[in-house]
Amino acid sequence: MAETTETGRKVTTSDRIKDLILSDGLRPGDLLPTEGELCTRLGVSRSNVREAIRKLSTLDIVDVRHGHGTYVGEMTLDALVEALVFRGVLSPGDDLDALRDVVEVRKALDHGMSEQIVDALKGTENSELKALVDEMTALAAAGKTFPQQDRAFHTGLLAKLGNSLVGQLVAAFWDVHTAVLPKLNVAVASDLEQTAQAHGLMLEAAESGDAEAFRAAITAHYEPIMRALEQK
Amino acid sequence: MAETTETGRKVTTSDRIKDLILSDGLRPGDLLPTEGELCTRLGVSRSNVREAIRKLSTLDIVDVRHGHGTYVGEMTLDALVEALVFRGVLSPGDDLDALRDVVEVRKALDHGMSEQIVDALKGTENSELKALVDEMTALAAAGKTFPQQDRAFHTGLLAKLGNSLVGQLVAAFWDVHTAVLPKLNVAVASDLEQTAQAHGLMLEAAESGDAEAFRAAITAHYEPIMRALEQK
């Protein structure tokens, strides 16, 4: 069921539930009115409300807890990750355009945020990030990959910025990157040690306030994966 | 209905439909098997298939054309835009953190992609982008805003890169930006002329291969909106 605004925009039941969340002043984690109450307040059918709730649930705008009720969701970017992973996998044959696109966007965000990251970390010590670098270095020396530590390092670095969107985006792209990589049979970048070391250089450069060295470390960080993608 | 893989990941009906799209070699725009065929092939109930199709439709992984059938979707980022717009509107009171986050990400992507854009445009002439700059300049002189031209300029610039993800992301953030702006009662940046002019400088710098001037123009481009956000 869709109404139309004065400006001609179609207003769906899911739009009206979103408006109700706003007008009731509900926050993530708050309980929504029951299905029956939503039907009454919006003057729409139960199947209508159910379909809208399902859609909002896919977008993590609401969180359906079976047997408990429906809550305002945390609005994570999980749906974006799912859509992008599938797009990455679906892309033509063994050409790696979709993965290359994701890696380029990750690199662009790291470069584009470099000034703010260096500003935020200058003169600080970040033992939790240093510990991750040490773990990555040890694993690389043993010929092992380090996806958890790698993801934790990048999200930890961006957490210093207080921009929740960029942190979530980088985490989302990181997940797309690691999900698509094995499905596409790309060799894991042989140079694990270079990657591990580049994280250490990024941290050192940021803590010492050296923006130029930070950007050089970002480039070194992506060099093995970019090389692997170009060789295909 | 969810099965579990050997590695413990839950496999939902929507995952299995995605696998079927891959194994059947379907591409965006191709017709999916009918609901009945999906039930038979996947061994699940009709309500199960319907719910999965609704979810995949929200993510634009499939496109339900009523009376015609269900097709493989174009996998646009419309769902991301919807989720981010709502998150932006829902963010606390009149503090503009969510919009500031979006503007910072737009700026970071523009800066992060600057080298590739300058490389792609160096020595070229782009009359369609120039025409957009001229329109923006004329509208600014008349005290009018120019959202369509602005969006077309940014997406047109990024279209030169052949990275469809970054183009879609920038378009998505642009839509979030313009959708959230009026709802939050931010004054439209007073300096329309500076914004119009900055687009012209970005284009000139890219065409003449001057990466430094290009980055300076990006900063000038975002200066009015950043100023408006800081004044709130």
Side-chain angles (χ1 to χ4, degrees):
Chain A
M1 180 177 289
E3 297 178 2
T4 304
T5 63
E6 286 172 21
T7 57
R9 190 174 67 93
K10 257 172 61 176
V11 179
T12 61
T13 301
S14 65
D15 289 330
R16 296 180 61 202
I17 294 174
K18 290 192 290 181
D19 288 343
L20 184 147
I21 290 171
L22 291 176
S23 61
D24 283 10
L26 300 177
R27 313 282 316 146
D30 287 351
L31 188 62
L32 275 182
T34 63
E35 211 172 84
E37 285 165 358
L38 288 171
C39 295
T40 308
R41 285 183 60 180
L42 304 178
V44 297
S45 70
R46 196 171 276 261
S47 68
N48 226 289
V49 166
R50 269 190 205 150
E51 182 165 346
I53 291 289
R54 277 202 203 98
K55 181 188 165 182
L56 294 173
S57 163
T58 297
L59 299 178
D60 203 20
I61 288 175
V62 306
D63 177 18
V64 180
R65 301 181 202 161
H66 293 289
H68 292 277
T70 298
Y71 295 78
V72 180
E74 299 294 332
M75 278 158 270
T76 61
L77 298 183
D78 292 352
L80 170 69
V81 175
E82 179 167 352
L84 286 177
V85 166
F86 190 66
R87 189 162 73 161
V89 176
L90 191 62
S91 74
D94 66 353
D95 108 6
L96 295 176
D97 283 351
L99 179 57
R100 192 180 293 114
D101 286 1
V102 167
V103 172
E104 276 187 11
V105 170
R106 286 190 56 198
K107 194 176 163 186
L109 278 173
D110 280 345
H111 272 291
M113 284 292 175
S114 59
E115 209 174 299
Q116 287 98 315
I117 290 174
V118 170
D119 281 351
L121 267 74
K122 188 176 179 174
T124 64
E125 276 190 40
N126 302 275
S127 54
E128 79 292 3
L129 295 176
K130 182 69 175 66
L132 289 168
V133 171
D134 291 342
E135 283 179 50
M136 288 190 264
T137 307
L139 286 162
K144 291 184 180 148
T145 60
F146 36 79
Q148 280 87 16
Q149 290 82 358
D150 199 327
R151 186 184 196 280
F153 180 86
H154 287 280
T155 51
L157 202 59
L158 288 158
K160 312 289 181 188
L161 293 186
N163 180 325
S164 66
L165 176 61
V166 75
Q168 277 200 59
L169 276 176
V170 167
F173 291 134
W174 209 96
D175 292 343
V176 175
H177 182 153
T178 46
V180 173
L181 203 55
K183 293 193 187 185
L184 290 175
N185 295 319
V186 188
V188 170
S190 56
D191 212 335
L192 292 170
E193 296 202 11
Q194 174 174 345
T195 306
Q197 193 192 12
H199 289 107
L201 293 172
M202 284 173 72
L203 182 58
E204 278 170 34
E207 289 179 345
S208 66
D210 187 340
E212 201 175 325
F214 185 74
R215 284 191 288 270
I218 293 171
T219 302
H221 169 272
Y222 286 102
E223 200 265 329
I225 176 75
M226 295 305 272
R227 198 181 341 116
L229 284 168
E230 276 157 23
Q231 278 168 357
K232 293 294 286 191
Chain B
M1 181 176 291
E3 298 179 0
T4 304
T5 63
E6 286 172 21
T7 57
R9 189 174 68 92
K10 259 173 60 176
V11 179
T12 62
T13 301
S14 65
D15 289 329
R16 297 179 63 201
I17 293 174
K18 290 192 290 181
D19 288 343
L20 184 146
I21 291 172
L22 293 176
S23 61
D24 283 10
L26 300 177
R27 312 281 319 145
D30 286 351
L31 189 61
L32 274 182
T34 64
E35 211 173 86
E37 285 165 357
L38 288 172
C39 296
T40 309
R41 284 183 60 181
L42 304 178
V44 298
S45 70
R46 196 169 278 261
S47 68
N48 225 289
V49 165
R50 268 190 206 148
E51 182 167 346
I53 291 288
R54 278 203 202 95
K55 180 187 168 184
L56 294 173
S57 163
T58 298
L59 300 178
D60 203 18
I61 289 174
V62 306
D63 178 18
V64 180
R65 302 182 202 160
H66 292 288
H68 292 277
T70 298
Y71 295 78
V72 180
E74 297 294 333
M75 279 158 269
T76 62
L77 299 184
D78 293 353
L80 170 68
V81 175
E82 179 168 352
L84 286 177
V85 166
F86 190 66
R87 189 161 73 161
V89 176
L90 191 62
S91 74
D94 66 352
D95 108 6
L96 294 176
D97 283 349
L99 180 57
R100 192 179 295 114
D101 285 1
V102 167
V103 173
E104 276 186 11
V105 170
R106 286 189 57 198
K107 194 176 163 185
L109 278 173
D110 280 346
H111 272 291
M113 284 291 175
S114 59
E115 207 174 301
Q116 287 98 315
I117 290 174
V118 171
D119 280 351
L121 268 74
K122 188 176 178 175
T124 65
E125 276 190 39
N126 302 276
S127 53
E128 79 292 3
L129 296 176
K130 182 69 175 65
L132 289 168
V133 170
D134 291 343
E135 284 179 49
M136 289 190 264
T137 307
L139 286 162
K144 290 184 180 148
T145 60
F146 37 79
Q148 280 87 16
Q149 291 82 358
D150 200 325
R151 186 183 196 281
F153 180 87
H154 288 280
T155 52
L157 202 59
L158 287 157
K160 310 290 180 189
L161 292 186
N163 180 326
S164 66
L165 176 62
V166 75
Q168 277 199 60
L169 276 175
V170 167
F173 291 134
W174 209 95
D175 292 343
V176 175
H177 182 152
T178 47
V180 173
L181 204 55
K183 292 193 186 184
L184 291 175
N185 295 320
V186 188
V188 171
S190 56
D191 213 335
L192 292 170
E193 295 202 11
Q194 174 175 347
T195 305
Q197 194 193 10
H199 289 107
L201 294 172
M202 283 172 72
L203 183 58
E204 279 171 34
E207 289 179 345
S208 66
D210 187 341
E212 201 175 325
F214 186 73
R215 284 190 289 269
I218 293 172
T219 302
H221 169 273
Y222 286 103
E223 200 266 328
I225 176 76
M226 293 305 271
R227 198 181 341 116
L229 283 169
E230 276 156 23
Q231 280 168 356
K232 293 294 285 191

